[in-house]
Amino acid sequence: MRTMPRNATSHRHAGARRRAVFGAALLLAASAPACRRQATDPEGGGQPGSPSPAPATAVRVERAGLSIAFELRPHDGAPLAAGVDAEAVFTIRDAATGAPVRNLRPFAWMWRRRGDAAPDEAACKAQIKTYLGGALTAQAEVDMNGYLLWSLGDEKSISIINPQIAFRRTKLQRVVQLPGKPFEAVLGPEGRGVYVSIPETDEVVVIDADRHDITAQIPVGDQPSRITASPDGRHVWVSNDGDGSVSVIDARENQVLKTISAGEGSLSIAFTDAGRKAWIASRAASAVAVVDAASLEVQDRIEIGEGATAIDASDKARAVMVGRGARGEVVVLDAERRRISARLALGPSIGAVRFAPDGRFAFALGRASGEVSIIDAATSRVAHKLRGLAAPDALTFTDAYAYVRHGDEGKVSLIELNGLAKRSPPAVIDITVGQTAPSSAGVFEAGSPMVPMPEGRGALIANPADKMFYVYTEGMMAPIGSLPSHGHVPRSLLFVDRTLREKEPGVYATSVRVDRSGIHDLALLIDDPRTSVCLEQRILPSDGEVLDPGERMQFEPLFDTRAHLEAGKPASLRFRVRDVGSTEPLRDVDIEALVFRDPVGFSARPAPRAVEGGDVYEVTFTPPSPGRYRFLLGVPSRGVRLGAVPTLSLGVEEAGVARTAGAKTKKEGALQ
């Protein structure tokens, strides 16, 4: 009998990301004011009691009782320059105690500043609200919140889809053309590349996870199929079904380190000992090979019989489970002693075999029998057997449920994971996902047509027959929506997640790449306590970056850009000039200036003069009447013409009304 699952108590922050995306206006309305700290903390270290202080090079700020530090850490020790892959790291602590603040759902964006004046509090909040709105015309240059869906099907391409555009609409971001039909894809170590096996060309294609360009084509063995990234963060293992070998790829150099002979037929790979051991099962071979992941040498071969179709392992259970499809059994192996613990006869046509997140219970799908067997690795026995499914053919997990797709019906069964150790059968709920049975589009054994949502508590489910994606949130009786696949036949799915994740207590990070040099503004939004913070980050030019002269030059106002000038009274404005590749201001350069009343009327070309030792410049002019004026600068010797950079807007009021523009205390303003 099918029973409804219990509704789990909401986690304090569960679903906060979704609520923030669709409740942006409320979140911003209640957020604390933005603040800006441009100088780095020279002392470094955290508050007393902080277990892991943020680096001294981090940009720091305190707000709403929080101490927040931000740093971009380039991968592989490279300089922080345009086009370099880096890790964006936010360290968030209690400002009073220094204790890490955990379980937050932060949002963050970076965008290249078009001039030198930083956005004020209101402008920063408005920018955050715009980005949260999801409009295609308002995308940040660096978005640390989104994820993209990569979909493989029958075509010689991969479709990359943004499922977050106003949620119920999608955007086909890119179609990456491939040299052949893809079999399976996996996100490589450090999340920088997506590795795709192409059986018909005997190669693995590497696609940049951010730019979506093919960066490498790696020749491997005959007919590469299944592909997996090792837990050590260095290697990608590829099963070559045509010649019974496994190619091990160095993910940093994108070169094959070694090809291991494993036995004829399709191959499956699992890891134990935190990735130090690889277990390779072959459909035609009678033994499972145990490989040392460091030396890439075969250490042992365990005889189990031919016909292995699936393999998975659990360090917690110290067990490896191998499905022998045609034989209808699962062989349980002791991972430490490297011997058979049990043989479990489950029925014909065993397909997927996978451990649940707890590492104790494994699920085995019987497509022909319509059964799901749940195996307790602690006893090497079947704990539960669920019957009456319509050709179960795919399996995935969230923290709370196992998702089993019915191949012969447009249906998915959710099996509650809590309580599997009890004698009573787990709660099961069926949800409808489409009008047509997925198997009517043909059987496709690679990858998974279901993936957990990055924010948790739900899954995205593909139905290739309908050419649709279905979005399901746990606790609902049906999907909350469907998304079109844009004509693509979706069979296997992969999320490339760029959301900020808590790597260690109070430290939130994600991978980024900043393609343009210059000063970038950065906005951070925290949901609890509701706080918005604005910072800035300077990115140096890369060797190969080509910049327009106007983009290389930065003008830094040294006056309050929001203050109004007085009509008929001389106004002196001071500023510095910098090259984006340097932190030092330029000295003794030829500067042109133009001031004019917008839209027509007064115009003047005051001559800038060097003051304060030559690294500060000053212009003086007298606005004749109230109104809005524009202030333009140029450096002819550097190829920067007047107006090549954003213009500065100046307000002029009647004499006696305006606040005179004096020495600047905050770097705020509005470059138009």
Side-chain angles (χ1 to χ4, degrees):
M1 180 179 70
R2 303 283 172 95
T3 59
M4 285 291 295
R6 298 189 302 272
N7 288 328
T9 302
S10 297
H11 185 277
R12 176 178 176 229
H13 296 286
R17 187 175 299 278
R18 183 184 302 279
R19 292 196 302 273
V21 169
F22 304 111
L26 293 176
L27 190 61
L28 284 171
S31 64
C35 66
R36 180 172 304 271
R37 172 91 174 260
Q38 297 183 38
T40 57
D41 188 338
E43 300 297 330
Q47 299 291 335
S50 174
S52 56
T57 56
V59 181
R60 299 166 184 272
V61 72
E62 287 190 9
R63 195 65 187 176
L66 300 177
S67 172
I68 301 168
F70 171 73
E71 186 186 28
L72 282 179
R73 301 174 182 172
H75 293 305
D76 303 325
L80 182 56
V84 170
D85 293 302
E87 187 176 38
V89 182
F90 292 89
T91 303
I92 304 176
R93 301 189 183 93
D94 184 283
T97 67
V101 181
R102 304 207 58 187
N103 302 319
L104 298 177
R105 291 283 188 173
F107 294 75
W109 303 263
M110 282 181 66
W111 63 96
R112 189 173 186 273
R113 190 180 297 172
R114 300 306 176 188
D116 278 296
D120 59 16
E121 176 186 327
C124 186
K125 284 188 177 182
Q127 194 67 50
I128 292 174
K129 184 176 179 180
T130 299
Y131 289 147
L132 282 171
L136 290 175
T137 56
Q139 298 294 304
E141 292 174 65
V142 178
D143 189 335
M144 305 179 205
N145 321 289
Y147 49 83
L148 293 177
L149 177 69
W150 294 51
S151 180
L152 287 69
D154 298 331
E155 307 87 2
K156 293 183 178 181
S157 62
I158 289 182
S159 294
I160 302 174
I161 297 169
N162 186 344
Q164 299 174 289
I165 303 302
F167 186 67
R168 293 186 182 274
R169 293 179 285 127
T170 63
K171 170 66 176 178
L172 183 62
Q173 297 280 109
R174 181 80 177 269
V175 175
V176 181
Q177 299 298 326
L178 301 172
K181 178 181 173 180
F183 188 91
E184 193 170 30
V186 66
L187 187 63
E190 298 181 345
R192 287 188 272 175
V194 174
Y195 291 73
V196 187
S197 55
I198 312 291
E200 62 188 274
T201 60
D202 299 335
E203 64 183 339
V204 169
V205 170
V206 186
I207 304 172
D208 188 292
D210 295 305
R211 294 178 176 175
H212 308 152
D213 296 325
I214 293 177
T215 58
Q217 293 179 245
I218 308 169
V220 289
D222 187 19
Q223 296 180 30
S225 58
R226 291 179 176 86
I227 185 168
T228 183
S230 62
D232 66 6
R234 285 295 304 270
H235 304 126
V236 173
W237 294 59
V238 186
S239 303
N240 303 311
D241 292 352
D243 58 21
S245 69
V246 171
S247 297
V248 183
I249 298 171
D250 184 322
R252 295 184 179 179
E253 301 296 332
N254 284 333
Q255 295 179 350
V256 174
L257 293 175
K258 189 171 183 178
T259 299
I260 303 167
S261 178
E264 296 181 359
S266 61
L267 305 169
S268 303
I269 305 170
F271 296 94
T272 60
D273 298 334
R276 290 186 288 272
K277 296 290 185 293
W279 298 65
I280 305 173
S282 170
R283 181 169 295 185
S286 61
V288 174
V290 184
V291 180
D292 180 83
S295 65
L296 302 181
E297 297 292 336
V298 177
Q299 293 185 328
D300 206 348
R301 294 186 186 271
I302 306 171
E303 290 287 337
I304 65 166
E306 296 180 355
T309 54
I311 189 171
D312 200 12
S314 166
D315 278 346
K316 180 178 180 179
R318 298 181 178 89
V320 178
M321 295 201 182
V322 185
R324 298 179 67 201
R327 292 290 229 167
E329 75 170 4
V330 167
V331 180
V332 184
L333 302 176
D334 185 315
E336 291 184 343
R337 299 178 181 179
R338 299 181 191 173
R339 68 185 188 186
I340 296 175
S341 298
R343 291 181 181 270
L344 307 176
L346 304 181
S349 187
I350 296 299
V353 176
R354 285 187 60 188
F355 275 92
D358 70 351
R360 173 178 172 181
F361 293 92
F363 285 62
L365 306 187
R367 180 178 174 83
S369 63
E371 297 176 345
V372 175
S373 299
I374 304 174
I375 303 167
D376 186 349
T379 62
S380 296
R381 295 181 179 179
V382 176
H384 307 284
K385 189 179 284 286
L386 307 177
R387 298 179 172 87
L389 287 79
D393 65 351
L395 175 67
T396 196
F397 297 97
T398 63
D399 290 340
Y401 294 95
Y403 288 63
V404 179
R405 191 182 74 168
H406 297 232
D408 289 348
E409 290 183 12
K411 185 187 297 183
V412 169
S413 291
L414 272 69
I415 303 168
E416 189 176 20
L417 298 177
N418 183 32
L420 289 180
K422 299 177 181 178
R423 297 185 63 181
S424 57
V428 179
I429 182 173
D430 295 334
I431 59 171
T432 300
V433 284
Q435 304 299 316
T436 312
S439 61
S440 65
V443 178
F444 192 67
E445 297 182 352
S448 175
M450 303 182 294
V451 286
M453 298 294 287
E455 62 262 34
R457 296 181 58 81
L460 193 71
I461 303 162
N463 188 326
D466 288 351
K467 296 184 179 180
M468 296 290 289
F469 305 104
Y470 295 90
V471 183
Y472 176 74
T473 297
E474 290 166 5
M476 306 298 290
M477 290 297 297
I480 62 173
S482 59
L483 308 174
S485 66
H486 302 277
H488 165 76
V489 179
R491 295 192 182 275
S492 178
L493 308 180
L494 173 71
F495 270 130
V496 174
D497 187 359
R498 287 295 181 259
T499 55
L500 286 163
R501 298 284 176 167
E502 190 171 9
K503 291 182 57 179
E504 57 183 272
V507 179
Y508 302 84
T510 187
S511 294
V512 301
R513 177 188 289 128
V514 185
D515 288 323
R516 305 288 300 281
S517 60
I519 296 176
H520 288 68
D521 290 301
L522 181 144
L524 174 70
L525 182 65
I526 299 173
D527 65 318
D528 187 8
R530 293 178 177 177
T531 307
S532 58
V533 173
C534 292
L535 307 167
E536 70 176 34
Q537 177 72 55
R538 180 182 294 273
I539 306 296
L540 299 177
S542 61
D543 292 339
E545 185 181 17
V546 178
L547 293 178
D548 180 89
E551 295 178 324
R552 291 199 62 89
M553 205 62 60
Q554 300 286 339
F555 294 93
E556 177 187 351
L558 299 178
F559 53 91
D560 186 351
T561 58
R562 294 178 301 173
H564 285 74
L565 309 178
E566 290 189 63
K569 296 188 66 174
S572 295
L573 306 178
R574 293 190 174 190
F575 55 90
R576 287 192 177 97
V577 182
R578 299 180 190 273
D579 186 285
V580 296
S582 172
T583 58
E584 295 297 323
L586 296 178
R587 298 172 179 267
D588 301 322
V589 293
D590 57 321
I591 298 177
E592 291 183 341
L594 172 65
V595 181
F596 65 93
R597 192 175 187 276
D598 191 15
V600 293
F602 167 84
S603 68
R605 287 181 174 266
R609 61 189 184 90
V611 296
E612 296 185 11
D615 64 349
V616 174
Y617 297 86
E618 181 181 74
V619 296
T620 301
F621 74 102
T622 302
S625 59
R628 180 62 56 180
Y629 287 70
R630 299 282 182 176
F631 179 32
L632 283 69
L633 292 168
V635 185
S637 64
R638 300 296 180 96
V640 182
R641 58 180 176 77
L642 281 169
V645 295
T647 61
L648 186 65
S649 179
L650 301 172
V652 176
E653 294 186 0
E654 293 284 356
V657 177
R659 293 182 294 112
T660 303
K664 181 179 170 185
T665 58
K666 288 187 178 181
K667 192 176 180 182
E668 299 177 318
L671 283 178
Q672 307 297 321

